[in-house]
Amino acid sequence: MTITAPAQPQPDTDASGLPAWFTHDRFGMFIHWGLYALPARHEWVKNFERITDEDYQKYFDHFDPDLFDPADWARRAREAGMKYVVLTTKHHEGFCLWDTALTDYKSTNTRFGRDIVREFVDAVRAEGLRVGFYHSLIDWHHPDFTIDGVHPRRDDSPEEIARLNEGRDMARYREYLHGQVEELLTGYGRIDYLFYDFSYRDNDHEDRWGGKGRDDWGSEELMALTKRLQPGIIVNDRLDIPGDLVTPEQYQPDKPMEVDGVPVPWEACQTLNGSWGYDRDNLTVKSVDLLVRMLVDGVSNNGNMLLNVGPTGRGEFDGVARRALEGIGEWMRRHDRSVYGAGPSSYRAPAGTVYTQRGDRLYLHLLTWPFEHVHLPDLAGKVAYAQLLNDASEVHFREIPPGTRAQNTGLGGQPAGTLTLTLPIVRPDVAVPVVELFLRD
């Protein structure tokens, strides 16, 4: 492995202290890929099916993704409007996608024989995107990682678990964990984002006995190491200590997120179908319009979205992923200025819509298409011009005085300060129509 010097700091920060690119870019791609792509039954298949190391070995022996093309991955991310890409360097199964010196359980020892992380990093940078790594704190393959209530061997007899745990040493595992992070953060140039996953020391689930957290990972030391090797890197909140941002998973926050009453940066981690790894028979696929609505809803609440793709065992994005990315990209091509550099607005959006705002431009995302009119509270006298963003066609607007009587084809008065837009009858043929409002100085 080539060792490079630690990266230099990124000077531009936003109001939260994060590197400014993060809350500007808003949209990234998550990629979960490992041996679990071969069984194609969820990335937790080893856990769910209680598979032993011996039975799981067949996936290592047959890992040979001949269609792996990281340049294609990166191009599809860019064309979808994503600005950063985060790859699982190692998931809970313990399989490493780079040429680590600390274990033989790695991609370069498979039939494939290549450093996937190296090729990924080079391809992502070539597309002008930022590089992120995911790294599992958990390792079900490592001989020093003690069996607990989340481990695939958790249902063995107490006697067998005691036998298996005899001689295992989390201090040695902790040294391994830190050593691998040091490899990743010194061998591949600037890394913009590191997503650690996950701690479960205080988990409420009774079956997760023997949970692990900050002491097991050496989290304070690991965070310090991460920040020292990569100044300006963004680190998430799953080390069981505070991080740079909060990472809600598989749900959409209904308002800007806070910790102890203080607003915090956040990023919703979302899947196409409920699984992170390739899951062949999972058909609960989100539509393109739902994914776009999730994205703009997050931005309206000052959040990012990290949308996951799980490549197949041959190393390519399947048809479901390709169609989703192409659909989102088609929407982003015409509407990305309502996302990039945008955030929440102080104005109150009417029902069935969300606002994002960037400077003096307010973006009305119409999650449902109304019949002809939409009424915007508190915007009377504040809008200089309005247009549909998809084609820059003008949208007329007016103020209807509160005392105006509704009569035949005429609208009645609206509350003082309301601006009424007149929309076309036919809904634009886009996933989510957007009206761009140019605010007066």
Side-chain angles (χ1 to χ4, degrees):
M1 176 181 294
T2 301
I3 303 297
T4 60
Q8 296 303 306
Q10 302 183 62
D12 296 331
T13 57
D14 63 17
S16 70
L18 279 183
W21 68 265
F22 185 76
T23 49
H24 175 275
D25 292 351
R26 291 299 186 193
F27 189 27
M29 175 183 282
F30 219 169
I31 299 177
H32 276 65
W33 198 41
L35 300 182
Y36 44 81
L38 276 67
R41 298 191 299 275
H42 199 283
E43 74 285 351
W44 276 54
V45 61
K46 186 175 186 180
N47 172 292
F48 291 166
E49 299 180 17
R50 280 68 167 172
I51 303 174
T52 64
D53 286 348
E54 293 74 20
D55 288 340
Y56 206 72
Q57 180 65 27
K58 63 186 176 183
Y59 304 126
F60 182 93
D61 294 341
H62 291 87
F63 184 77
D64 190 13
D66 57 313
L67 298 181
F68 171 60
D69 182 359
D72 180 70
W73 292 7
R75 178 183 58 81
R76 290 183 185 277
R78 177 183 55 76
E79 290 178 349
M82 294 152 163
K83 294 292 191 180
Y84 54 107
V85 188
V86 180
L87 173 69
T88 52
T89 56
K90 181 197 79 169
H91 203 260
H92 310 329
E93 65 180 4
F95 178 65
C96 301
L97 299 188
W98 79 101
D99 191 20
T100 173
L102 301 179
T103 182
D104 292 332
Y105 202 53
K106 56 185 178 179
S107 60
T108 50
N109 279 353
T110 65
R111 295 181 185 183
F112 189 56
R114 288 156 58 181
D115 185 327
I116 291 164
V117 170
R118 168 67 62 199
E119 296 184 36
F120 161 81
V121 167
D122 291 345
V124 168
R125 289 201 183 111
E127 289 290 346
L129 307 178
R130 292 184 180 271
V131 174
F133 290 160
Y134 164 111
H135 196 70
S136 175
L137 301 167
I138 298 166
D139 193 319
W140 296 324
H141 182 267
H142 196 278
D144 279 314
F145 190 88
T146 54
I147 295 169
D148 55 31
V150 178
H151 196 281
R153 301 296 297 270
R154 64 193 176 278
D155 290 339
D156 287 14
S157 69
E159 296 77 16
E160 179 63 9
I161 290 173
R163 186 190 69 79
L164 291 170
N165 275 341
E166 186 176 355
R168 297 193 181 208
D169 185 347
M170 283 301 294
R172 284 198 299 264
Y173 175 71
R174 189 160 51 248
E175 182 179 355
Y176 171 80
L177 170 64
H178 290 214
Q180 288 204 317
V181 168
E182 184 164 1
E183 286 183 336
L184 290 166
L185 298 185
T186 57
Y188 298 94
R190 164 157 310 284
I191 306 303
D192 298 287
Y193 183 20
L194 187 48
F195 190 110
Y196 286 114
D197 194 34
F198 67 98
S199 299
Y200 48 108
R201 177 176 60 93
D202 297 323
N203 201 287
D204 292 332
H205 297 276
E206 292 182 2
D207 58 345
R208 290 189 174 180
W209 46 267
K212 296 178 173 67
R214 66 191 71 165
D215 294 335
D216 301 282
W217 319 133
S219 293
E220 297 284 356
E221 297 80 7
L222 188 55
M223 179 70 83
L225 175 70
T226 303
K227 297 285 189 174
R228 176 173 61 81
L229 295 176
Q230 291 282 342
I233 195 172
I234 296 170
V235 183
N236 71 335
D237 60 334
R238 301 193 180 189
L239 280 169
D240 194 26
I241 59 175
D244 296 319
L245 75 161
V246 177
T247 51
E249 180 176 333
Q250 301 281 42
Y251 74 92
Q252 284 293 116
D254 60 355
K255 60 183 179 181
M257 297 197 76
E258 300 179 345
V259 173
D260 298 328
V262 178
V264 293
W266 62 271
E267 176 181 64
C269 312
Q270 302 289 5
T271 58
L272 294 176
N273 64 358
S275 297
W276 299 96
Y278 178 59
D279 193 345
R280 183 192 61 205
D281 300 329
N282 185 339
L283 303 179
T284 57
V285 178
K286 301 177 182 70
S287 64
V288 169
D289 67 307
L290 175 58
L291 292 168
V292 170
R293 280 183 278 140
M294 290 163 63
L295 171 62
V296 298
D297 176 67
V299 176
S300 77
N301 285 311
N302 205 31
N304 287 30
M305 184 162 82
L306 190 61
L307 181 62
N308 183 75
V309 175
T312 71
R314 294 190 69 180
E316 63 177 351
F317 293 175
D318 71 354
V320 169
R322 292 196 300 270
R323 288 188 291 272
L325 294 172
E326 288 165 3
I328 295 168
E330 180 65 16
W331 185 88
M332 285 289 284
R333 187 172 69 84
R334 295 188 176 92
H335 302 88
D336 62 10
R337 65 183 187 236
S338 75
V339 173
Y340 301 146
S345 175
S346 60
Y347 292 107
R348 177 170 53 90
T353 74
V354 297
Y355 281 142
T356 64
Q357 187 168 346
R358 185 178 65 181
D360 64 355
R361 298 195 189 188
L362 182 64
Y363 296 95
L364 174 70
H365 299 80
L366 294 152
L367 308 183
T368 59
W369 188 250
F371 171 57
E372 198 168 6
H373 300 104
V374 60
H375 307 288
L376 309 179
D378 305 319
L379 282 175
K382 298 179 182 178
V383 174
Y385 188 75
Q387 64 182 13
L388 283 170
L389 188 52
N390 62 290
D391 63 359
S393 59
E394 183 179 11
V395 172
H396 292 288
F397 56 87
R398 59 186 166 129
E399 213 178 321
I400 306 176
T404 302
R405 181 178 176 183
Q407 189 170 351
N408 297 337
T409 59
L411 282 171
Q414 296 296 314
T418 300
L419 187 72
T420 297
L421 307 182
T422 301
L423 300 172
I425 299 298
V426 178
R427 180 187 186 278
D429 186 20
V430 296
V432 175
V434 180
V435 178
E436 184 175 39
L437 303 162
F438 295 75
L439 300 178
R440 297 185 184 278
D441 293 337

